[in-house]
Structures are given as C-alpha cells and as structure tokens.
Amino acid sequence: MDLSKRIRGLTGGGSDGWDVFYKARRMVGAGVDVTELTQGEHDIRTDQSILDAMHRSASSGHTGYSMVPGNDSLRDAVAARVTERTGVSTTRDNVLVTPGGQAALFASHHAVCDEGDVALYCDPYYATYPGTLRGVGAVPRAVRCLPENAFEPSFSDIAAKSSDAKSLLVNTPNNPTGVVYSAETVDGIARACREYDMWCISDEVYDTQVWDGTHISPRTLDGMAQRTLVIGSMSKSHAMTGSRVGWIVGPEVAIENLINLATHTTYGVPGYIQDAAVFALGEGVELEDKVGAPFKRRRVLGQAILAKQNVVGLVPSSGAMYMMLDIRNTGLSGDDFADKLLDAHHIAVMPGESFGASAAGHVRVAMTVEDSAFEVSLQTIVDFAKGFQP
Ligand code: PMP
C-alpha cells in the first residue's frame, strides 16, 4: 500500500549533510570515545527543583487529561512573561501550550498555510524547518542569508522572494549561527511581512540565551502582533528538552483555531509537565541564567582561542549554545572538514551544509561539553585547520 505523497516527501530526499552526525553516533555505539559537539542538548540535566515540582504534581494526581489549550496557570505564566519582556499586552487567550517548540512550528504553519502556499524560511536554518513546511503541504522557499552579512536577512533579501509568499519563518537568537538579529534586521522582517501581507512565524526558543546585544521579538513592531505567531519552549531556557513543553503566542483568533488543531492532534500536554513549567517560570531569570551560564562562559573561552589565530573565522554571534566557525581558509567543505576531523581526532561537529547552502564552508560547534574539554576540542579544531592551509 502506498503511503501519502506528503509523508514520503517530508524529508525532501537527497543528502542532508547529517552523515557525520550519524557516523559519530555509530562510533560512540562501538565504544569509541568521541567528543560530540553536535546536538543542541545541554550537558546539565533539568534542575532538581523542577523535577521535584513535577513529582509533587504527578503524585498529587495530575496524571489525567489536561486542558487542551494548556492549563490556565501555565497560559497565564507565559502571557505574563511575554508581556513583561516585550511590552506587548498578552493574555492567556493569546497562548496555546504545545508539546515543545517543534510541535508549535508545525501547528503554526498548519494554521497559516494552505496546500501549495509558499512558506519562506531563512537559510542557514534549523534542520527541521523545510520538512516542517512540507509536512503541512506548503512549498518551502529559502531566503539566503550570506556570511558576509553575518547571516542576517535584509529587507531586500526577503522582498526578492516574497511576491507570492504566505509566511516568513525567522529565528533569533539563531540556530545554527548564534547570531542575534539586529534592530535593522528585525525592522526589515516586519516591513516585508507588512508590505507583502505575510504571516511572521518567529522562532524565539533561544530568547533567554543572549550574551551580547538585545533580543527583539518581531511581534513588538508596528502592526505585527496581528500577523505574528511566536514559538517558545522550555527546552533550551530550562534544560527541559525531554519534557516537551512549549507554546505559541499569537492573535486570539489564531489561537482559537490552533486549539481546534490541538484537539485533533496532540490533545494537550501532561499536567505534571505543565505544573513543572509553571514552577520553573516562577523562578524567573535566576534559573534561566544558571542554565545559560555554561554557554556564556564557553563562548568567551572559545573567542580567546580563536583570537590567537587567523585561519578559522568566528561568525559574530551573540547568543544561543553554538559557535559557527568559518573554515573556508582550509579549502575544504564543511562536510569534508567535519568528516576528517572526526576520523583524525574523534571530535564531532556539524557541517554548515547540514543547515543549508548559505553555511557551506562552515562548521557548527555546540558548546555542550564541560569547559576544559571544550577548550581542548576547540584548540584541536584550530590546529587541525592550520594543517590544510594552502
Ligand atoms: N527551534 C530551534 C531553532 C531549535 O534549535 C529547536 C531545537 N533544537 C527547536 C525549535 C525545537 O525545540 P523543542 O521542540 O525541543 O522545543
């Protein structure tokens, strides 16, 4: 029996640049000691205080069905957080709780794109984006963001692709580049959405991890609250990747319709996870800073190593848990560099190519091992790159 074209076409086929990642996983499985700087997974676990809250909630009986839109307490906590951080008045009616940011990305595009609609996304991109867009029947179209522009999209980059587009997906702070979009970039995004009548899907799951500069949500700009769906998540901010809890913030009418979608798909998020999320948000920035501190620290350590040489370039990034290295001086592609590095030194990094054509000749390093191992790895990467200088 044939499966649907939609599900068979979801991944888009072809090589996706993830070979090195799977090779590293196989090596680990075979007992090889590999330093994995690949996935965006913290090297700390969910804070014990959050787990205690989860346990208290489950033990007191919150193990049944929960409210499909999310429990009032969590919707209120998210709304208060968004209002406080952005100044845009937000209530629980603007919030849908989802099983993580990924489900929120899928649901948001489902809400704004009809079959065959063009959905824009910025390249380099978080690996699931094109598949998510295809998954809702949309036609993904990349807006190329080039290294010489610090991988930020300009108004004209977006406008050139927008004439028939229905939505624009943006991500700041950015995975994979670590770049926090400037005020000018966010202005350009908002202007393009208004002029070309597009929805903005704004993936802000790294909004607590800003090491330099300021995070600006496109929803805060003129005329944007009614055309923006913001994706949020507890995964990165609170090291809760496995708990699967996130949200969509948007106009009430969009949320009403998204609740219908949730009723027919996820049917809510476990109550004890939501209670743990309420507890965690209640702990405020102190807990978020504790979770983000290792990345902030390692970024400084990494910058010091890179400052002492001029073979490997660092994308001027100021957020998230990644460093994007420009290895074009080696003459190798990101794929080749990552593959050879893995063979020679058992260090696994992600080739830029796995995040789209714009990041070719780069590798993404996740700052997800303890400080001294991170420094040793980065120094090894730099020394390894020097060996390829023409
Ligand atoms: N958006 C971006 C940019 C991400 O990096 C990730 C996870 N790596 C997600 C969304 C999805 O995160 P989650 O589903 O765990 O909330």
Side-chain angles (χ1 to χ4, degrees), residues 20-275:
V20 177
F21 173 78
Y22 290 114
K23 182 169 164 182
R25 293 269 77 206
R26 282 196 302 277
M27 287 167 71
V28 172
V32 180
D33 184 13
V34 177
T35 305
E36 290 183 281
L37 307 174
T38 48
Q39 265 184 324
E41 177 81 271
H42 313 68
D43 50 322
I44 53 168
R45 299 271 77 91
T46 307
D47 198 81
Q48 189 58 45
S49 62
I50 303 177
L51 297 178
D52 290 343
M54 201 182 287
H55 186 247
R56 275 195 306 275
S57 170
S59 305
S60 70
H62 286 193
T63 54
Y65 289 124
S66 56
M67 304 280 286
V68 170
N71 294 342
D72 287 350
S73 52
L74 182 53
R75 295 175 84 198
D76 286 346
V78 171
R81 180 180 193 263
V82 171
T83 306
E84 188 193 320
R85 287 178 185 222
T86 66
V88 181
S89 163
T90 304
T91 73
R92 78 169 67 137
D93 295 329
N94 300 114
V95 180
L96 170 71
V97 175
T98 63
Q102 185 57 49
L105 282 163
F106 185 89
S108 297
H109 284 92
H110 205 291
V112 304
C113 290
D114 281 313
E115 189 77 33
D117 278 347
V118 171
L120 303 184
Y121 65 102
C122 297
D123 171 342
Y125 54 86
Y126 169 49
T128 65
Y129 281 178
T132 302
L133 307 184
R134 280 190 289 268
V136 304
V139 178
R141 181 186 293 160
V143 175
R144 294 285 297 273
C145 306
L146 300 177
E148 49 272 33
N149 304 329
F151 294 112
E152 296 194 47
S154 67
F155 169 76
S156 50
D157 293 335
I158 302 167
K161 305 282 179 166
S162 296
S163 61
D164 56 345
K166 192 72 188 292
S167 61
L168 168 65
L169 170 56
V170 295
N171 170 221
T172 181
N174 188 270
N175 177 12
T177 62
V179 171
V180 177
Y181 285 179
S182 67
E184 189 188 345
T185 298
V186 181
D187 264 343
I189 288 167
R191 189 178 145 205
C193 288
R194 287 188 304 256
E195 285 187 17
Y196 292 91
D197 197 21
M198 294 186 290
W199 280 91
C200 178
I201 313 291
S202 180
D203 180 343
E204 302 180 20
V205 303
Y206 293 97
D207 69 345
T208 60
Q209 297 179 355
V210 177
W211 320 129
D212 259 344
T214 315
H215 166 66
I216 305 169
S217 172
R219 181 169 178 261
T220 60
L221 273 68
D222 266 2
M224 289 301 285
Q226 70 248 32
R227 58 170 71 248
T228 303
L229 298 175
V230 176
I231 310 299
S233 171
M234 301 293 289
S235 285
K236 312 294 177 178
S237 58
H238 293 82
M240 290 178 73
T241 49
S243 291
R244 314 307 306 135
V245 56
W247 53 80
I248 302 170
V249 171
E252 282 181 31
V253 62
I255 297 299
E256 274 166 28
N257 282 278
L258 279 157
I259 292 169
N260 290 338
L261 178 65
T263 303
H264 296 90
T265 52
T266 58
Y267 213 80
V269 171
Y272 52 91
I273 301 283
Q274 294 195 56
D275 286 343

